[in-house]
Amino acid sequence: MPQAQNKYRIVLAEDAALIRAGIVALLSHAGHELVAEVTDAPSLLTAVESERPDLVITDVRMPPDMRDDGIRAALAIRAATSTQPVLVLSQYVAGAYAADLLSSKRGAVGYLLNESVGDVAEFLRAVDTVASGGTVIDSEVVRTLLERRKASPLARLSEREREVLELVAQGKTNAAIAASLWVSEAAVVKHIGSIMAKLDLPAGIDGHRRVLAVLRWLESEQG
Amino acid sequence: MTGSAAALRAHPLRFLITAWPWRSALWLLISAALMCLGVLLAVVPVYQWARVTTNAQLVFLFEGGFGLFWFVLAGLIAHQVPRILGQPVISPHPPTPLIPNRFGQRSIRWLRVIGAQVRSWRTLLSGVLFTVFGLVGAAVLVLVGLSIMLVFWQLPYSTGNLAYWLLAVPLLALEMYLWSVLALVGSAINRSVFGGTDAEFQLAEVTSSRARLADAFTAERKRIERDLHDGAQQRIVALQLKLGLAEAKLRELGLDSADATELIRQAQSDNRQVLRELRSLVRGIYPQVLTDRGLGPAIEEIASRAPIPTFVAIKIKRRLPESIETAAYFLVLEALTNACKHSGAGRIDIRAMTVAGQLHLEIIDDGSGGAVAAADGGLAGLADRAETVGGSLSISSPLGGGTTIRAVI
């Protein structure tokens, strides 16, 4: 089991017992401390209030309403603390949910499909990224956004540039992009520069703001 | 013809042993009670009052106000009593959705329907007639009471007394017919005030049962969606987690031979595919976004999945009743699917807005046009969806000129 370099205090909200048990096993093996496990939105709010965790991981559909209670709880938490890192695990690729989360100015948010938890190393990396203030968007969400725009200015991008853009939109750092594409970091910087120029996006920004810029651009193109 | 009248006509003798005579008695009893109670309440306080006041105008004002209140109340009751005789209640208002939504819109709707009824002159008139008919009801009840007493006093009850049975049984049967027919007459008067032919009453019944069916289908879809979400989807996600843990453990133990981890990874990717298919299946059954966020975001979601560039403009300020959201969503979904399959369009526009309490939908493509509504075709299905919730649909599709579908709900 890969040991995380940082140990976090985590509050987990998930009403499905099977999935909750799995995530707990995974996180505690990685050395994180589960300070509270809750199964509905109101107790999530109380737990965050009393525990002040380093990271909140929450499901979307939960009691009491069995609707988007998890997202609403996440937004309430963000509204109250503004810096509390929140990672949302969703059953659905729903742009509306992701857009709500990303509307916050600061980073430290994540939106993943819950089956992506199966890729243990990747999931633990996402936990680390969000807890330390970064942004993580599920590749499938990004892909739906990208697929819609084949006829748009994206067509001007090369295949490699599209790959890089997809990873940028997922909130990866230049180093992480370089690692997953097996190229040098300098090459990534060059690709990003040319993508930003082709899409008329502000160059030279990094982190959460960069992700936001790309996602805004993708969404505005949607018409 | 339904209910009591049909039963009477089909089997006049058997009618006596059904519940209909007793239901008819209840009908008469309600009208008689309205009459007697109304008179009592109108007369007693005024009688007391007139002894201490000399202001006759005030008394008239009170009488007038009370009369108006009483007749409207009687009218509201009169509107519902056809149910007792098994006759459909006709309503000029669309049927109330069966499934209440979170904000109690069902009860608000009820209040609005009742409000509209209170303001209607038909309610007042039928209230007057129903109350006056109470005189007949009261008379019948007195008659029945008297006849029973007569039989009892004159011929002391005994099972051996043939004369008692010869008199009592036919008398009761006769009276049962009498009051049942009177209730039907009263109901016919009532019905003539509320308006509507038999065909209209049947249409009212069919319309409301169609809306109930549509609501039932929606409820069923939601149940299936929930079952899949709570069942299969969660188990597969949990399985995915276990596979991930297994792989990590193998690695930890130094047993991560390439083919072992490769097998696990393959299983995980198969799993992902299953989940993807399950997700799109669930979305087709009942989309979670529609429940959570309403029509606008749900339409944007389907537009973003369309293979043809689709542009959405939505002006809907608040959440609509669930039955309308569902019908509109599936209408747009089908129209969009049709356009993507058949039109060969390069661009599709979807517009949705609420204007003066109505939802307007437009699905416009710039394709080849020439779409016709065959009886069992997709376009006829669209019209059915609109009509289920009391809406209408129009299609304009000149050859070579694109297709425009407009629906007003």
Side-chain angles (χ1 to χ4, degrees):
Chain A
M1 178 67 62
Q3 287 292 311
Q5 58 272 57
N6 294 310
K7 311 272 186 260
Y8 296 113
R9 298 173 68 251
I10 297 176
V11 169
L12 172 66
E14 166 68 71
D15 65 316
L18 277 173
I19 299 179
R20 192 173 60 242
I23 296 177
V24 168
L26 204 155
L27 288 173
S28 34
H29 264 87
H32 297 299
E33 184 192 350
L34 266 297
V35 288
E37 297 164 37
V38 297
T39 55
D40 60 71
S43 35
L44 170 59
L45 295 178
T46 343
V48 171
E49 182 87 7
S50 62
E51 297 292 343
R52 297 272 160 216
D54 300 320
L55 175 68
V56 173
I57 300 180
T58 177
D59 186 15
V60 172
R61 186 144 137 188
M62 273 196 302
D65 291 342
M66 293 312 267
R67 287 153 47 121
D68 54 349
D69 301 61
I71 294 267
R72 282 184 279 145
L75 293 176
I77 291 168
R78 296 284 292 187
T81 64
S82 86
T83 49
Q84 173 65 55
V86 177
L87 174 58
V88 172
L89 297 179
S90 172
Q91 195 90 269
Y92 308 91
V93 193
Y97 302 144
D100 272 1
L101 275 180
L102 289 167
S103 61
S104 107
K105 294 263 185 308
R106 295 159 179 283
V109 287
Y111 180 88
L112 290 180
L113 285 177
N114 59 7
E115 76 246 28
S116 61
V117 175
D119 190 339
V120 175
E122 193 70 22
F123 174 66
L124 290 177
R125 206 149 35 232
V127 164
D128 214 63
T129 308
V130 174
S132 56
T135 307
V136 180
I137 309 293
D138 197 276
S139 57
E140 207 146 321
V141 177
V142 175
R143 207 162 300 139
T144 19
L145 286 172
L146 278 173
E147 251 165 35
R148 292 255 311 120
R149 267 150 295 271
K150 287 192 182 113
S152 69
L154 283 185
R156 294 204 297 270
L157 301 185
S158 70
E159 192 53 36
R160 184 33 63 95
E161 282 166 353
R162 282 176 59 90
E163 278 171 18
V164 173
L165 180 66
E166 200 173 311
L167 294 169
V168 169
Q170 285 171 38
K172 300 224 155 132
T173 62
N174 290 352
I177 296 172
S180 42
L181 293 179
W182 303 101
V183 294
S184 72
E185 212 174 319
V188 171
V189 172
K190 204 174 114 262
H191 283 309
I192 291 178
S194 88
I195 294 169
M196 295 291 175
K198 281 182 185 173
L199 301 184
D200 222 8
L201 285 169
I205 51 169
D206 214 357
H208 182 67
R209 286 204 302 137
R210 184 168 79 177
V211 179
L212 273 192
V214 171
L215 287 173
R216 291 247 167 79
W217 182 82
L218 287 173
E219 288 204 321
S220 68
E221 285 295 295
Q222 201 163 354
Chain B
M1 203 173 287
T2 52
S4 162
L8 184 58
R9 183 173 285 189
H11 299 282
L13 273 180
R14 197 190 291 168
F15 179 79
L16 290 177
I17 52 164
T18 62
W20 295 117
W22 306 109
R23 281 165 161 258
S24 306
L26 178 63
W27 195 101
L28 284 176
L29 193 66
I30 291 173
S31 87
L34 273 170
M35 178 74 210
C36 299
L37 204 61
V39 169
L40 204 68
L41 289 176
V43 169
V44 170
V46 172
Y47 178 71
Q48 296 290 340
W49 198 3
R51 292 202 310 199
V52 296
T53 180
T54 49
N55 192 343
Q57 281 156 336
L58 253 182
V59 177
F60 279 126
L61 205 65
F62 168 80
E63 284 294 285
F66 176 77
L68 196 64
F69 161 76
W70 194 255
F71 287 133
V72 167
L73 181 70
L76 289 178
I77 295 172
H79 189 253
Q80 296 297 323
V81 286
R83 293 184 202 280
I84 298 178
L85 300 181
Q87 294 163 347
V89 171
I90 196 164
S91 168
H93 313 282
T96 311
L98 272 189
I99 305 165
N101 67 18
R102 282 183 71 218
F103 306 105
Q105 275 193 0
R106 189 180 170 195
S107 49
I108 292 170
R109 226 174 133 80
W110 268 111
L111 283 179
R112 279 173 54 191
V113 168
I114 290 177
Q117 282 177 359
V118 166
R119 290 193 301 275
S120 133
W121 64 270
R122 288 171 193 273
T123 305
L124 186 64
L125 181 58
S126 74
V128 172
L129 290 175
F130 191 50
T131 312
V132 171
F133 201 81
L135 279 176
V136 180
V140 169
L141 293 170
V142 168
L143 184 74
V144 173
L146 278 181
S147 68
I148 289 172
M149 274 201 282
L150 205 69
V151 170
F152 264 86
W153 292 130
Q154 297 304 314
L155 299 164
Y157 167 75
S158 126
T159 42
N161 193 339
L162 196 63
Y164 174 84
W165 288 109
L166 280 179
L167 203 60
V169 173
L171 191 65
L172 183 64
L174 203 67
E175 282 169 350
M176 279 163 105
Y177 283 124
L178 177 70
W179 78 57
S180 298
V181 169
L182 279 174
L184 282 175
V185 170
S187 189
I189 295 173
N190 199 354
R191 177 194 277 219
S192 68
V193 175
F194 279 112
T197 59
D198 265 2
E200 276 172 334
F201 277 90
Q202 275 163 15
L203 186 63
E205 186 71 346
V206 169
T207 307
S208 73
S209 75
R210 182 170 65 172
R212 284 198 298 276
L213 264 183
D215 282 348
F217 277 128
T218 303
E220 187 65 2
R221 275 171 177 270
K222 285 190 148 183
R223 190 191 59 75
I224 297 171
E225 190 268 348
R226 207 170 41 239
D227 285 355
L228 281 173
H229 174 270
D230 295 345
Q233 273 183 317
Q234 286 189 357
R235 281 181 185 278
I236 298 174
V237 170
L239 179 60
Q240 190 78 336
L241 258 166
K242 280 187 192 141
L243 286 171
L245 275 168
E247 193 209 345
K249 285 235 162 116
L250 280 180
R251 192 160 303 201
E252 199 173 289
L253 295 171
L255 296 172
D256 53 331
S257 67
D259 38 342
T261 44
E262 185 52 30
L263 267 178
I264 292 180
R265 288 200 171 251
Q266 266 172 21
Q268 281 196 319
S269 110
D270 290 352
N271 243 353
R272 252 179 189 264
Q273 193 54 37
V274 172
L275 273 171
R276 218 168 278 153
E277 281 165 20
L278 204 54
R279 246 200 317 269
S280 85
L281 177 72
V282 165
R283 206 164 42 228
I285 293 171
Y286 201 91
Q288 183 66 18
V289 180
L290 185 59
T291 318
D292 292 349
R293 298 294 162 94
L295 190 56
I299 289 180
E300 273 162 19
E301 206 70 42
I302 45 179
S304 73
R305 283 177 220 290
I308 298 174
T310 305
F311 300 86
V312 182
I314 289 174
K315 281 183 200 141
I316 299 173
K317 288 188 190 70
R318 55 193 169 82
R319 289 296 297 266
L320 305 167
E322 185 180 54
S323 55
I324 294 184
E325 279 190 343
T326 310
Y329 173 83
F330 284 105
L331 195 154
V332 171
L333 181 63
E334 274 173 42
L336 191 63
T337 315
N338 280 344
C340 292
K341 256 193 220 158
H342 306 299
S343 73
R347 174 193 171 110
I348 299 173
D349 279 286
I350 300 176
R351 295 193 198 122
M353 61 186 79
T354 44
V355 183
Q358 287 183 315
L359 173 65
H360 294 247
L361 296 169
E362 274 186 342
I363 301 99
I364 306 167
D365 70 57
D366 61 355
S368 55
V372 276
D376 55 346
L379 289 176
L382 290 184
D384 286 348
R385 289 211 184 269
E387 281 163 17
T388 310
V389 285
S392 62
L393 186 95
S394 67
I395 298 164
S396 138
S397 187
L399 263 181
T403 302
T404 299
I405 295 174
R406 277 199 187 85
V408 180
I409 299 176

